[in-house]
Every structure is written in structure tokens, then in C-alpha cells.
Amino acid sequence: MIRFSLVTISLVLSLASPSSAVEKPNVIFILADDQGSLDLGSYGSTDLVTPHTDALAARGVRFTRFYSAAPVCSPSRAGLLTGRWPIRAGVPSNCASEAGGKGALPASETTMAEMFQKAGYVTSHIGKWHLGFTPETLPRAQGFEYSFGHMGGCIDNYSHFFFWSGPNRHDLWRDGVEVHHDGEFFPDLMVKEASQFLEQNREKPFFLYYALNTPHYPYQGEPKWLEHFKDLPYPRNLYAAFLATQDERLGQLFSKIESLGLRERTIVVYQSDNGYSTEDRAHHGGGNSGPYRGAKFSLFEGGIRLPAIISWPGSLPEGQVRDQLSHSCDWMPTLAALTGVNLPEVPFDGRSLVPVLHSGEAESPHSHHVLHWQVGDGPKADWAVREGDWKLIGKTRDTSESGENRSVEMFLVHLGDDPGEKINRAKEHPEIVERLRQLHATYLD
């Protein structure tokens, strides 16, 4: 008869237990703001300097057919943090950018932070919020134990005032209390706050939502990078300098993770929230959608088809590329599966990507699933639906730099044949238009 000591049995049980704090991997989710479809060296750009983000891809899995939940800030973030289509999560359009303003992710929604907090993780938000500006909708009320950053849509990176309309409003907060760091560069403040959080919680499982406000306007790249890119055409030179400034700070964050011995225990996810901006304040462009039509605010591919990377050295493949269809709502069920935490008992629109991460031959969880997008509510809303390679844009704007912001309706495209969305095949296939229109109507019910 085989005999085991109580010590041996105890050790075996502790190693097998998924609830062991040592076994729980940390999660850092990095969300870039208004970064174009191909705006990384690892995605083919040859005129940018992004070595640290590219190194993340080299140590992880990079997606080539990845969609955000929306082509604009707040709905995209809501889809990411809830795993639900933004309109179902109660965020059909941008949220408030001033204290007490209307528009927010409802407190009744369950966020990724609340999921990890319930599983014993320490949770932190650092950076941009833009999901509510009332006490019950700020980060501390949505599952984040710590929070530092701006609550509205954009700030000047030195004064930390809302960068949109007057009167000027200061927007910098730590744990719900207004703080002042006049003249300090916000990306540097983010690295400082994150480093302190990592040091304080290195022995605990943590979830860090690192929500960049870059390369969103105002383009405020460092002087050395403005000099480096001086020969690029305007406004690409300004955008490239700001993106290089962003990448350098991410390198500092990654170095901190390494120095604390946390890299193999930490899942790092990186994606952009929507396409690059062609707004006035963004100098009408600077980013790159490559072959894809559209940019920020548009449901053409350039507004929603974006960079996405996940890295967990030693536990996930490294240097791999996946072209399976994937979506930002997939991160919540994917991270739950990778970390062994329980998903909330709510209806999800995302699907776990774990099989895809481990095999390039795995079927996309969306192969037999319809993808939906909607910005706004009611009959004037912009919307699109994708089933297989067929995509119907019910209504959107073409925000390409040459698109003149014109409105487009009932645009049917077969993405396998026409990834640049140049040819409207709606008149050629009225039966497909009707089928996809009905699918969208059903999704709204």
C-alpha cells in the first residue's frame, strides 16, 4: 500500500487548487486611443518607431482580423470591459466629459474589474476613463480599488485640462479626488502611478487597466521625436512622434514588470480602441488604415479593424500570428478562461479565444456567429453587421482623409473579395441585404 504523509497531501492539493494566489496570473490590459489599423512596426509600418510594442508581439500572439466594439471611444471601452455589445451595455455613444454630465456605463453592468475583484484580484485603473462622470459611474464604483487619470474624453497632457470646449475644466483625479500635477507630462504620470501600483501589489494577483490617452489628440510628442520625424509629411510627422513617445513609455512599464520578476506571471493585452482620427484637432489625420477604408467614427474597416496583441511568456505561444475573426468583447471570457476565474452570470456577446491562441488551425469562435456594431440609438443610429465574409453597413460616415466625411447607407461588401470596401454590391444581392438587415433588427430586440 502506498502511503502519503499529510505534508505531501497538503502540498499536492495546494498545487492543484486554482484558487491559490501564487497560481493566479496577473493581467495588464493596455488600451491605446485612436491608433490606426497598421500603426505598429509589427503590423507593417516602416516609418514608425515602436520597438517595445513590437517586442510584445514577438513574445505573444498578434491578431490580423481583430475588431473593436465600436469606432469611437466610450462604446468601444464599454464593450471591452463588459464583454457585451455596447448598446446592450447601455453605452450607444460617447459618455460625459464633465462632472455630473449625462452618459455613462450603467452601474448595473458587470465590468472586467468587478469579475477580477470578486476572484481576489487587486484592481487598478490608470489613464483615461470616459465611461461616466458621476459618483456611481466613476472607476471606484465599477470594480477598481485604485484609480488615477482623467474622467473625460481627452486632456492637454501638461495642464490636464479638458481638450475640447470652454470654459476650461481641469480633469485629473486620484481615487475620486481631484489632484494637481501642473506641467507634468501625463504619460509620465501614468508610468509613475503604474510602477507604484506594481511595487505595492507584486505579491498579490492584480488586474491593471492601463488606458492610454495616446495617440489621441492633442499630438504632443517629445521634442526629440518631433526632430526624428521632421522629414515625414505633415501630419504623419506629428502622429509618429506622439506614437513613439507612447511606445517609449510602454517600454518603461515593461521594464518595471521585468525588474519585479513578474513577466512570466503576467498576461499583457494590447489593442486600440478605434481607428485613427481625421478630426480638426487631429490635424485631419496622421494615422494609417492601410488598405482599409475609413477611420475613427466610421464603420468601414479602418474605424474598427485594429491592432491587438496578447502575451504571456511560457504559457501562450510566442511570435505567432492569428487571422481568425476576433473581437474586443472576446477578451473578458478569454481572460476568465486563462486565469481560471468565474465569468459573471450575465449574457455575453464575446467568445473565448483560448483555442485560437493555442492553435492557428482552430476555428474562430465567430465562424458561425454574427458580429454587430451600432453607434447612437434610434433611426439615426450608425450600424453594421457581419456574417461570414458579408458585411452590411446600414449607415455610417466615410471618415477617410479623402472621404470628406460623407454619409453612406446600405453598403454591402464581400470582405473576402473586397477588403478595401470599394464596391457596393447591395443592388446585386438584395436578398443578402435583407437577411443582414433582419439580423440587425433581431439583435436590437
Side-chain angles (χ1 to χ4, degrees), residues 347-384:
F348 284 94
D349 295 304
R351 304 288 190 272
S352 173
L353 295 170
V354 170
V356 170
L357 295 177
H358 287 290
S359 173
E361 303 302 317
E363 187 175 54
S364 165
H366 297 292
S367 294
H368 308 290
H369 183 54
V370 178
L371 295 179
H372 294 274
W373 295 268
Q374 178 160 322
V375 179
D377 207 354
K380 293 184 179 180
D382 288 6
W383 62 272

Short mmCIF file of all heavy atoms in Angstrom, two decimals, residues 347-384:
data_model
loop_
_atom_site.label_atom_id
_atom_site.label_comp_id
_atom_site.label_asym_id
_atom_site.label_seq_id
_atom_site.Cartn_x
_atom_site.Cartn_y
_atom_site.Cartn_z
N PRO A 347 -25.53 37.54 -19.80
CA PRO A 347 -25.37 37.15 -21.20
C PRO A 347 -24.20 37.88 -21.85
O PRO A 347 -24.14 39.12 -21.80
CB PRO A 347 -26.70 37.53 -21.83
CG PRO A 347 -27.28 38.58 -20.93
CD PRO A 347 -26.79 38.26 -19.56
N PHE A 348 -23.26 37.13 -22.43
CA PHE A 348 -22.10 37.71 -23.08
C PHE A 348 -22.24 37.62 -24.59
O PHE A 348 -22.80 36.67 -25.13
CB PHE A 348 -20.82 36.98 -22.66
CG PHE A 348 -20.35 37.34 -21.28
CD1 PHE A 348 -20.72 36.59 -20.19
CD2 PHE A 348 -19.54 38.45 -21.09
CE1 PHE A 348 -20.30 36.92 -18.91
CE2 PHE A 348 -19.12 38.80 -19.83
CZ PHE A 348 -19.49 38.03 -18.74
N ASP A 349 -21.69 38.62 -25.28
CA ASP A 349 -21.60 38.58 -26.73
C ASP A 349 -20.23 38.14 -27.19
O ASP A 349 -20.05 37.71 -28.32
CB ASP A 349 -21.93 39.97 -27.30
CG ASP A 349 -23.37 40.36 -27.04
OD1 ASP A 349 -24.27 39.60 -27.44
OD2 ASP A 349 -23.60 41.41 -26.41
N GLY A 350 -19.23 38.22 -26.31
CA GLY A 350 -17.90 37.75 -26.62
C GLY A 350 -17.77 36.25 -26.46
O GLY A 350 -18.60 35.60 -25.83
N ARG A 351 -16.73 35.69 -27.07
CA ARG A 351 -16.44 34.26 -27.02
C ARG A 351 -14.97 34.08 -26.63
O ARG A 351 -14.12 34.88 -26.99
CB ARG A 351 -16.69 33.60 -28.38
CG ARG A 351 -18.10 33.79 -28.94
CD ARG A 351 -19.12 32.97 -28.18
NE ARG A 351 -20.42 32.95 -28.84
CZ ARG A 351 -21.39 33.83 -28.66
NH1 ARG A 351 -21.19 34.88 -27.85
NH2 ARG A 351 -22.54 33.73 -29.28
N SER A 352 -14.67 32.99 -25.94
CA SER A 352 -13.28 32.73 -25.55
C SER A 352 -12.41 32.45 -26.78
O SER A 352 -12.77 31.66 -27.65
CB SER A 352 -13.20 31.55 -24.59
OG SER A 352 -11.84 31.21 -24.35
N LEU A 353 -11.26 33.09 -26.81
CA LEU A 353 -10.29 32.90 -27.89
C LEU A 353 -9.18 31.92 -27.52
O LEU A 353 -8.21 31.77 -28.27
CB LEU A 353 -9.66 34.25 -28.25
CG LEU A 353 -10.58 35.32 -28.83
CD1 LEU A 353 -9.85 36.67 -28.90
CD2 LEU A 353 -11.08 34.91 -30.21
N VAL A 354 -9.30 31.25 -26.39
CA VAL A 354 -8.22 30.38 -25.93
C VAL A 354 -7.84 29.32 -26.96
O VAL A 354 -6.64 29.12 -27.23
CB VAL A 354 -8.58 29.74 -24.57
CG1 VAL A 354 -7.58 28.65 -24.20
CG2 VAL A 354 -8.59 30.82 -23.48
N PRO A 355 -8.78 28.60 -27.59
CA PRO A 355 -8.36 27.63 -28.61
C PRO A 355 -7.59 28.27 -29.76
O PRO A 355 -6.61 27.70 -30.26
CB PRO A 355 -9.69 27.04 -29.10
CG PRO A 355 -10.65 27.24 -27.97
CD PRO A 355 -10.24 28.55 -27.37
N VAL A 356 -7.99 29.46 -30.16
CA VAL A 356 -7.31 30.18 -31.24
C VAL A 356 -5.90 30.58 -30.81
O VAL A 356 -4.95 30.51 -31.59
CB VAL A 356 -8.12 31.41 -31.65
CG1 VAL A 356 -7.32 32.31 -32.59
CG2 VAL A 356 -9.43 31.00 -32.31
N LEU A 357 -5.75 31.00 -29.56
CA LEU A 357 -4.43 31.40 -29.07
C LEU A 357 -3.44 30.24 -29.15
O LEU A 357 -2.27 30.43 -29.49
CB LEU A 357 -4.52 31.89 -27.62
CG LEU A 357 -5.33 33.16 -27.38
CD1 LEU A 357 -5.38 33.47 -25.90
CD2 LEU A 357 -4.74 34.34 -28.14
N HIS A 358 -3.91 29.05 -28.89
CA HIS A 358 -3.03 27.88 -28.85
C HIS A 358 -2.82 27.23 -30.21
O HIS A 358 -1.89 26.45 -30.38
CB HIS A 358 -3.55 26.86 -27.85
CG HIS A 358 -3.34 27.27 -26.42
ND1 HIS A 358 -2.11 27.30 -25.83
CD2 HIS A 358 -4.22 27.69 -25.46
CE1 HIS A 358 -2.21 27.71 -24.57
NE2 HIS A 358 -3.49 27.95 -24.32
N SER A 359 -3.68 27.55 -31.18
CA SER A 359 -3.55 26.90 -32.48
C SER A 359 -4.03 27.79 -33.61
O SER A 359 -5.16 28.28 -33.59
CB SER A 359 -4.34 25.58 -32.51
OG SER A 359 -4.36 25.03 -33.81
N GLY A 360 -3.17 27.95 -34.60
CA GLY A 360 -3.56 28.70 -35.78
C GLY A 360 -4.57 27.97 -36.63
O GLY A 360 -5.16 28.55 -37.55
N GLU A 361 -4.77 26.68 -36.34
CA GLU A 361 -5.74 25.88 -37.09
C GLU A 361 -7.11 25.85 -36.44
O GLU A 361 -8.07 25.35 -37.02
CB GLU A 361 -5.23 24.44 -37.22
CG GLU A 361 -3.85 24.32 -37.87
CD GLU A 361 -3.83 24.93 -39.26
OE1 GLU A 361 -4.79 24.70 -40.03
OE2 GLU A 361 -2.86 25.64 -39.58
N ALA A 362 -7.22 26.40 -35.22
CA ALA A 362 -8.51 26.38 -34.52
C ALA A 362 -9.52 27.26 -35.23
O ALA A 362 -9.18 28.29 -35.82
CB ALA A 362 -8.33 26.85 -33.08
N GLU A 363 -10.77 26.86 -35.17
CA GLU A 363 -11.82 27.65 -35.80
C GLU A 363 -12.11 28.88 -34.98
O GLU A 363 -12.14 28.84 -33.75
CB GLU A 363 -13.09 26.80 -35.95
CG GLU A 363 -14.20 27.47 -36.74
CD GLU A 363 -15.39 26.55 -36.96
OE1 GLU A 363 -15.92 26.02 -35.97
OE2 GLU A 363 -15.78 26.38 -38.12
N SER A 364 -12.34 29.99 -35.65
CA SER A 364 -12.72 31.20 -34.94
C SER A 364 -14.04 30.98 -34.23
O SER A 364 -14.97 30.37 -34.78
CB SER A 364 -12.88 32.37 -35.93
OG SER A 364 -13.56 33.45 -35.31
N PRO A 365 -14.18 31.48 -32.98
CA PRO A 365 -15.47 31.33 -32.29
C PRO A 365 -16.58 32.11 -32.98
O PRO A 365 -17.74 31.94 -32.67
CB PRO A 365 -15.18 31.89 -30.89
CG PRO A 365 -14.03 32.81 -31.07
CD PRO A 365 -13.18 32.18 -32.15
N HIS A 366 -16.21 32.95 -33.95
CA HIS A 366 -17.21 33.75 -34.66
C HIS A 366 -17.51 33.18 -36.05
O HIS A 366 -18.22 33.83 -36.84
CB HIS A 366 -16.73 35.20 -34.78
CG HIS A 366 -16.56 35.87 -33.46
ND1 HIS A 366 -17.62 36.17 -32.63
CD2 HIS A 366 -15.45 36.26 -32.79
CE1 HIS A 366 -17.17 36.74 -31.52
NE2 HIS A 366 -15.86 36.80 -31.60
N SER A 367 -16.98 31.99 -36.35
CA SER A 367 -17.22 31.41 -37.67
C SER A 367 -18.71 31.23 -37.94
O SER A 367 -19.18 31.34 -39.08
CB SER A 367 -16.51 30.06 -37.79
OG SER A 367 -15.11 30.24 -37.74
N HIS A 368 -19.47 30.93 -36.89
CA HIS A 368 -20.91 30.72 -37.03
C HIS A 368 -21.68 31.72 -36.17
O HIS A 368 -22.75 31.44 -35.65
CB HIS A 368 -21.28 29.28 -36.65
CG HIS A 368 -20.47 28.26 -37.36
ND1 HIS A 368 -20.59 28.00 -38.70
CD2 HIS A 368 -19.48 27.44 -36.93
CE1 HIS A 368 -19.74 27.06 -39.07
NE2 HIS A 368 -19.05 26.71 -38.00
N HIS A 369 -21.11 32.90 -36.06
CA HIS A 369 -21.65 33.91 -35.16
C HIS A 369 -21.68 35.24 -35.91
O HIS A 369 -20.79 35.54 -36.69
CB HIS A 369 -20.75 34.00 -33.92
CG HIS A 369 -21.23 34.95 -32.87
ND1 HIS A 369 -22.49 34.89 -32.33
CD2 HIS A 369 -20.61 35.98 -32.25
CE1 HIS A 369 -22.61 35.84 -31.42
NE2 HIS A 369 -21.48 36.52 -31.36
N VAL A 370 -22.68 36.03 -35.66
CA VAL A 370 -22.83 37.32 -36.33
C VAL A 370 -22.24 38.42 -35.46
O VAL A 370 -22.47 38.46 -34.25
CB VAL A 370 -24.32 37.60 -36.62
CG1 VAL A 370 -24.50 38.96 -37.28
CG2 VAL A 370 -24.91 36.51 -37.49
N LEU A 371 -21.48 39.33 -36.08
CA LEU A 371 -20.92 40.47 -35.37
C LEU A 371 -21.76 41.71 -35.67
O LEU A 371 -22.17 41.93 -36.81
CB LEU A 371 -19.47 40.72 -35.80
CG LEU A 371 -18.46 39.62 -35.46
CD1 LEU A 371 -17.08 40.00 -35.98
CD2 LEU A 371 -18.41 39.39 -33.95
N HIS A 372 -21.99 42.50 -34.63
CA HIS A 372 -22.82 43.71 -34.76
C HIS A 372 -22.07 44.93 -34.25
O HIS A 372 -21.28 44.84 -33.31
CB HIS A 372 -24.11 43.57 -33.93
CG HIS A 372 -25.04 42.52 -34.40
ND1 HIS A 372 -25.98 42.74 -35.38
CD2 HIS A 372 -25.20 41.23 -34.01
CE1 HIS A 372 -26.67 41.63 -35.59
NE2 HIS A 372 -26.22 40.71 -34.77
N TRP A 373 -22.37 46.05 -34.86
CA TRP A 373 -21.89 47.35 -34.38
C TRP A 373 -23.04 48.35 -34.48
O TRP A 373 -23.82 48.32 -35.43
CB TRP A 373 -20.73 47.87 -35.23
CG TRP A 373 -19.50 47.05 -35.16
CD1 TRP A 373 -18.43 47.19 -34.30
CD2 TRP A 373 -19.15 45.94 -36.00
NE1 TRP A 373 -17.47 46.24 -34.56
CE2 TRP A 373 -17.89 45.46 -35.60
CE3 TRP A 373 -19.81 45.30 -37.07
CZ2 TRP A 373 -17.26 44.38 -36.22
CZ3 TRP A 373 -19.20 44.22 -37.68
CH2 TRP A 373 -17.93 43.77 -37.25
N GLN A 374 -23.13 49.22 -33.48
CA GLN A 374 -24.08 50.33 -33.56
C GLN A 374 -23.57 51.48 -32.73
O GLN A 374 -23.11 51.29 -31.59
CB GLN A 374 -25.48 49.93 -33.10
CG GLN A 374 -26.45 51.11 -33.15
CD GLN A 374 -27.90 50.68 -33.17
OE1 GLN A 374 -28.27 49.69 -33.79
NE2 GLN A 374 -28.75 51.44 -32.49
N VAL A 375 -23.63 52.68 -33.30
CA VAL A 375 -23.28 53.90 -32.58
C VAL A 375 -24.49 54.82 -32.63
O VAL A 375 -25.01 55.12 -33.71
CB VAL A 375 -22.07 54.60 -33.20
CG1 VAL A 375 -21.74 55.87 -32.44
CG2 VAL A 375 -20.86 53.66 -33.20
N GLY A 376 -24.96 55.23 -31.47
CA GLY A 376 -26.18 56.01 -31.39
C GLY A 376 -27.37 55.09 -31.19
O GLY A 376 -27.25 53.86 -31.17
N ASP A 377 -28.53 55.70 -31.03
CA ASP A 377 -29.75 54.93 -30.79
C ASP A 377 -30.88 55.51 -31.63
O ASP A 377 -30.87 56.69 -31.96
CB ASP A 377 -30.11 54.99 -29.30
CG ASP A 377 -30.90 53.78 -28.85
OD1 ASP A 377 -31.25 52.96 -29.71
OD2 ASP A 377 -31.15 53.65 -27.65
N GLY A 378 -31.83 54.67 -31.99
CA GLY A 378 -32.96 55.15 -32.77
C GLY A 378 -32.69 55.10 -34.26
O GLY A 378 -31.67 54.57 -34.73
N PRO A 379 -33.57 55.69 -35.06
CA PRO A 379 -33.49 55.58 -36.53
C PRO A 379 -32.28 56.27 -37.14
O PRO A 379 -31.91 55.96 -38.27
CB PRO A 379 -34.80 56.24 -37.01
CG PRO A 379 -35.22 57.12 -35.88
CD PRO A 379 -34.77 56.43 -34.63
N LYS A 380 -31.65 57.18 -36.43
CA LYS A 380 -30.50 57.89 -36.99
C LYS A 380 -29.16 57.23 -36.62
O LYS A 380 -28.10 57.75 -36.96
CB LYS A 380 -30.50 59.34 -36.51
CG LYS A 380 -31.67 60.16 -37.05
CD LYS A 380 -31.56 61.62 -36.64
CE LYS A 380 -32.71 62.43 -37.22
NZ LYS A 380 -32.62 63.87 -36.82
N ALA A 381 -29.22 56.11 -35.94
CA ALA A 381 -28.00 55.44 -35.49
C ALA A 381 -27.19 54.91 -36.67
O ALA A 381 -27.74 54.51 -37.70
CB ALA A 381 -28.34 54.30 -34.55
N ASP A 382 -25.88 54.91 -36.52
CA ASP A 382 -25.00 54.23 -37.45
C ASP A 382 -24.93 52.76 -37.06
O ASP A 382 -24.86 52.44 -35.86
CB ASP A 382 -23.59 54.83 -37.40
CG ASP A 382 -23.51 56.20 -38.03
OD1 ASP A 382 -24.56 56.75 -38.42
OD2 ASP A 382 -22.39 56.73 -38.13
N TRP A 383 -24.93 51.86 -38.05
CA TRP A 383 -24.87 50.44 -37.70
C TRP A 383 -24.28 49.61 -38.83
O TRP A 383 -24.25 50.04 -39.98
CB TRP A 383 -26.26 49.89 -37.31
CG TRP A 383 -27.31 49.95 -38.38
CD1 TRP A 383 -28.16 50.97 -38.67
CD2 TRP A 383 -27.62 48.90 -39.33
NE1 TRP A 383 -28.98 50.64 -39.72
CE2 TRP A 383 -28.69 49.39 -40.14
CE3 TRP A 383 -27.14 47.62 -39.56
CZ2 TRP A 383 -29.25 48.62 -41.17
CZ3 TRP A 383 -27.69 46.85 -40.59
CH2 TRP A 383 -28.74 47.36 -41.37
N ALA A 384 -23.79 48.43 -38.44
CA ALA A 384 -23.26 47.47 -39.41
C ALA A 384 -23.38 46.08 -38.83
O ALA A 384 -23.48 45.89 -37.60
CB ALA A 384 -21.80 47.78 -39.73
#
